[in-house]
Amino acid sequence: LPNIHTQPSTSTSAYNANEEASIIGTVGVEEYRRTIPYVVQTGDRCVEVGCHFGTSTTLIDRAAKMDTIDTDRHHPGVRPTYTGGCLGVDIGPNIIKAAKVKFPHVSFEVGNGFKTGQLARMQRKYFANSNTNTTDAQQHDTSLDRIYDVVYVDIGGLSGSEGLLEAVALLTSIGNSLEPRVICIKSLCVRRLASNLIPFSEVWNRGRLARQGTVEQIANSTVPL
């Protein structure tokens, strides 16, 4: 798994548009939602897999939506249009029905998060016009080729140790198929894995710096004649 984090960067620019997806592992709803201001940018096309009754989806949607029409000054009486937003997806029809009633201004759809082709088709349905008003510079931005910019995952059964392989398989599938900038997953086992992983490059750099320090100490020491 590339770029696993236990907490989001304090700067959204830390997630490079040309790199593989950064994966953020979180535990609990509070920590999961706390990532939103650091991960989601205005104009992002987002999806929450396992949206339940839609509270987190609504928070993500609010962070991602950006007015493209200023109704007060330029287009009085015209409803604003938006680029970006968040689609909530859950496998339970009754859950989605309740979410639509509770948050009628947010998009929800019945779907299976493990079927990434299904999620891709939903993106074309709900974000079909999200990139119609792009500038020349934006047209050369490879991030616009993504299916989703950010994917949030809150699926039951992925927190226990027995769910680790399933979680890794899901993250790999989402990363390869949807090519998001960031995947944020609420999973205890992924969080623990991320907390214990140390890249060898970091270990090697520490050793290299320690060796350099030893050499400098020897070079700077004076040997009495």
Side-chain angles (χ1 to χ4, degrees):
L1 288 174
N3 305 323
I4 303 181
H5 305 276
T6 56
Q7 57 185 356
S9 167
T10 55
S11 171
T12 53
S13 62
Y15 306 111
N16 191 312
N18 298 316
E19 292 182 351
E20 293 179 317
S22 293
I23 299 170
I24 301 174
T26 64
V27 177
V29 174
E30 183 181 352
E31 186 175 79
Y32 179 72
R33 293 175 181 168
R34 199 185 303 153
T35 65
I36 295 173
Y38 303 100
V39 171
V40 180
Q41 303 175 26
T42 53
D44 276 349
R45 294 153 297 178
C46 309
V47 61
E48 184 184 24
V49 178
C51 67
H52 305 285
F53 294 109
T55 302
S56 296
T57 302
T58 302
L59 295 173
I60 300 166
D61 184 75
R62 186 183 303 160
K65 276 184 174 172
M66 174 176 58
D67 291 2
T68 55
I69 295 179
D70 189 333
T71 55
D72 293 332
R73 292 183 298 171
H74 302 299
H75 301 273
V78 178
R79 292 184 62 186
T81 58
Y82 299 97
T83 58
C86 186
L87 168 65
V89 176
D90 201 283
I91 201 169
N94 291 334
I95 290 175
I96 290 298
K97 184 177 179 180
K100 288 181 176 179
V101 172
K102 189 175 182 180
F103 303 107
H105 59 290
V106 179
S107 299
F108 295 96
E109 186 78 69
V110 176
N112 188 335
F114 287 87
K115 296 182 177 180
T116 52
Q118 190 178 78
L119 296 176
R121 288 190 292 274
M122 290 178 184
Q123 190 270 2
R124 291 192 290 270
K125 177 180 177 181
Y126 288 96
F127 298 99
N129 300 317
S130 61
N131 292 322
T132 54
N133 297 319
T134 56
T135 65
D136 290 339
Q138 288 173 322
Q139 288 176 359
H140 297 286
D141 185 354
T142 56
S143 67
L144 298 180
D145 296 328
R146 292 196 188 95
I147 296 176
Y148 291 100
D149 298 295
V150 179
V151 178
Y152 273 78
V153 181
D154 184 8
I155 296 179
L158 298 184
S159 284
S161 57
E162 66 282 357
L164 180 59
L165 292 180
E166 197 171 12
V168 169
L170 176 61
L171 291 171
T172 302
S173 178
I174 289 174
N176 290 338
S177 303
L178 305 181
E179 300 180 336
R181 184 180 70 249
V182 183
I183 305 171
C184 181
I185 183 169
K186 183 162 76 69
S187 168
L188 177 60
C189 60
V190 172
R191 178 70 159 77
R192 284 175 174 170
L193 175 64
S195 299
N196 292 316
L197 284 177
I198 301 176
F200 173 69
S201 58
E202 183 177 324
V203 177
W204 182 82
N205 282 329
R206 287 177 183 173
R208 181 173 57 85
L209 291 173
R211 288 192 297 273
Q212 285 180 350
T214 302
V215 171
E216 289 175 0
Q217 280 183 337
I218 295 173
N220 294 330
S221 64
T222 57
V223 180
L225 296 176

